[in-house]
Amino acid sequence: MKKLLITGGAGFIGSHVVRLFVSQYTDYQIFNLDFLTYAGNLENLKDMAGKPNYTFVKGDIYDETFIHQLFTKHHFDGVIHLAAESHVDRSIHDPLAFAKTNILGTLNLLNAAKKQWKNTSDHLFYHISTDEVYGSLGQEGFFLETTSYDPKSPYSASKASSDHFVRAYANTYGLPVVISNCSNNYGPNQFPEKLIPLCINNIKNSKPLPIYGKGENIRDWLYVVDHARAIDMIYHKGKHGETYNIGGWNEWTNIDLVKLLCNVMDKKLDRPAGTSEKLIEYVTDRPGHDMRYAIDAHKIKNELGWEPSLQFEEGLSKTVDWYLANEAWLNNVTTGQYQRYYEAHYQTTDV
Ligand code: NAD
Ligand code: DAU
């Protein structure tokens, strides 16, 4: 049985990746390594508990000794590395936390893989990254795999640094690696600090919808299950040493997106048209706010045959339905209930 380590599997994207791999690859033993920070949540994977090919491991990727012991014990065949601090606004307040997890945590994993694998090509270290490493676009153009790095926030600087380390380990030590850089994901299980779930939660509770600056910044949105499908294809068919950009061909200004969401929610909550839009409030801009992200996703389409499968309106409708149906989840993550429970009941796994 092949042993695959997925880091950050209790988080938003990771939970969808774990579910896909555990369900589709019953001949793999999937290890989900997660520190259960505020963003990680075992409720996201409650349907996986008890599956014979699934093991949860609590641990911190920043803990070098623990990571080496884990690799020594399990001899993983591959790694899909998603664990990270992921929120730009938090990175502005606490850059060091982002350097520790995103840079040094990644280095610990790279070192453990290098030591175990001795550059044999039947292993793979797959690093999940972001389009934010490329910086900010004007009104024209797209990020290509060849676009120069120009990270502008502490979050994107930490992700860019980890990308560089991954490539350096491939170049210097012959570690088999692949990297993908994806645009903004949305869908079930996303912590309600990010724009879409924050607005869904606030609309539900008739609270203000904070729009940074003029709301003219543009993001490219992709349904999270489509990202998980792309990760599956890249892990199994991607060429070692390559980078793949993943995007939705789906650009929205923040204000247009929030207005669309208001519309969808008015209908679902049976409120008169225009009710939710009245909650919009323009607030002080995010410092250093990147203007526009847009991905050219031709390479992954041409080489691996991946394309987004879901139209945005359909994905948004499914997302709103999920949040409305999971009120307890929303309450528990926003009040820190799950985190307090895990801190009291889950120790770092003894390896
Ligand atoms: P998330 O914040 O929802 O989840 C991160 C997970 O990592 C959580 O489960 C958390 O508990 C875990 N984690 C954090 N620090 C850890 C540590 N020190 N040790 C072990 N586990 C730790 O993030 P996400 O949005 O699911 O993003 C996952 C990955 O995808 C990240 O690497 C992020 O940079 C990248 N990414 C995200 C997006 C997006 O739109 N969300 C887009 C492109 C790339
Ligand atoms: O592009 C990929 C990246 O997308 C990922 O790497 C990050 O992990 C992920 O968090 C996301 O980053 P963004 O900063 O684009 O996402 P966020 O949801 O925080 O913000 C989306 C846009 O909405 C951005 O232009 C800022 C704006 N915004 C955000 C919040 C939270 C607001 O106007 N108001 C808000 O309250």
Side-chain angles (χ1 to χ4, degrees):
M1 225 181 182
K2 290 211 162 184
K3 287 185 169 182
L4 172 60
L5 178 69
I6 299 179
T7 71
F12 166 46
I13 302 171
S15 59
H16 294 276
V17 174
V18 167
R19 178 169 298 103
L20 187 155
F21 273 76
V22 170
S23 314
Q24 276 188 17
Y25 301 104
T26 47
D27 54 334
Y28 290 7
Q29 185 65 36
I30 308 292
F31 291 81
N32 168 18
L33 167 62
D34 200 294
F35 199 39
L36 300 179
T37 69
Y38 78 95
N41 188 331
L42 290 179
E43 278 300 297
N44 293 344
L45 288 167
K46 59 177 187 287
D47 52 328
M48 296 294 107
K51 299 254 182 201
N53 65 333
Y54 172 70
T55 307
F56 174 69
V57 178
K58 181 175 176 184
D60 186 351
I61 60 169
Y62 180 65
D63 182 342
E64 188 183 355
T65 310
F66 168 77
I67 291 298
H68 278 278
Q69 284 172 352
L70 189 71
F71 272 70
T72 305
K73 179 167 181 196
H74 291 294
H75 293 277
F76 299 115
D77 295 283
V79 175
I80 303 181
H81 174 37
L82 295 111
E85 288 293 339
S86 68
H87 192 44
V88 174
D89 291 329
R90 285 180 190 253
S91 81
I92 294 167
H93 296 292
D94 187 5
L96 191 58
F98 283 66
K100 283 182 171 171
T101 294
N102 299 0
I103 305 175
L104 296 175
T106 301
L107 262 172
N108 284 336
L109 292 165
L110 287 167
N111 281 332
K114 165 168 118 24
K115 191 171 166 201
Q116 281 281 315
W117 297 350
K118 317 268 191 252
N119 82 9
T120 42
S121 61
D122 51 346
H123 295 94
L124 181 60
F125 190 101
Y126 178 5
H127 178 62
I128 306 298
S129 192
T130 169
D131 60 358
E132 299 197 11
V133 297
Y134 298 122
S136 178
L137 291 164
Q139 288 303 313
E140 302 291 318
F142 294 90
F143 296 134
L144 286 157
E145 286 80 359
T146 49
T147 301
S148 299
Y149 275 33
D150 188 16
K152 296 191 178 292
S153 73
Y155 163 69
S156 54
S158 70
K159 292 295 292 186
S161 173
S162 63
D163 291 12
H164 287 320
F165 271 111
V166 172
R167 291 197 183 94
Y169 272 57
N171 182 63
T172 310
Y173 308 113
L175 194 76
V177 306
V178 70
I179 299 179
S180 58
N181 298 81
C182 188
S183 61
N184 286 60
N185 285 218
Y186 71 98
N189 301 351
Q190 188 170 33
F191 193 84
E193 62 189 348
K194 310 280 169 40
L195 182 67
I196 290 182
L198 176 103
C199 288
I200 293 173
N201 196 27
N202 286 11
I203 291 171
K204 187 166 81 67
N205 296 310
S206 299
K207 283 166 64 178
L209 308 177
I211 303 293
Y212 297 163
K214 294 182 179 157
E216 288 167 354
N217 303 64
I218 293 172
R219 297 291 182 266
D220 166 33
W221 294 92
L222 178 69
Y223 193 63
V224 63
V225 177
D226 275 333
H227 188 189
R229 282 179 42 246
I231 289 172
D232 177 15
M233 280 191 188
I234 292 169
Y235 184 75
H236 288 105
K237 296 199 257 165
K239 206 167 147 212
H240 290 192
E242 291 288 314
T243 295
Y244 296 90
N245 281 354
I246 308 169
W249 299 107
N250 178 39
E251 292 181 52
W252 287 80
T253 62
N254 293 335
I255 187 64
D256 285 349
L257 187 158
V258 171
K259 283 183 176 168
L260 172 68
L261 186 60
C262 287
N263 236 324
V264 170
M265 294 231 11
D266 281 345
K267 289 191 187 123
K268 294 207 188 264
L269 295 171
D270 224 3
R271 293 176 179 169
T275 307
S276 301
E277 271 197 32
K278 291 193 189 121
L279 299 168
I280 290 174
E281 272 184 18
Y282 292 91
V283 299
T284 309
D285 209 352
R286 173 185 280 174
H289 196 172
D290 287 343
M291 191 59 209
R292 173 172 167 255
Y293 306 143
I295 285 276
D296 183 326
H298 277 113
K299 178 175 171 180
I300 185 169
K301 180 180 178 199
N302 295 339
E303 293 188 12
L304 305 181
W306 177 89
E307 278 186 289
S309 71
L310 217 64
Q311 290 296 313
F312 190 49
E313 284 73 4
E314 192 188 344
L316 204 56
S317 170
K318 277 163 82 98
T319 304
V320 171
D321 287 344
W322 186 85
Y323 281 94
L324 293 180
N326 287 276
E327 202 163 331
W329 183 98
L330 254 181
N331 290 337
N332 285 338
V333 297
T334 46
T335 56
Q337 283 279 13
Y338 289 141
Q339 216 189 342
R340 279 195 293 279
Y341 178 83
Y342 298 137
E343 275 164 14
H345 293 89
Y346 280 79
Q347 309 303 321
T348 294
T349 301
D350 194 3
V351 290

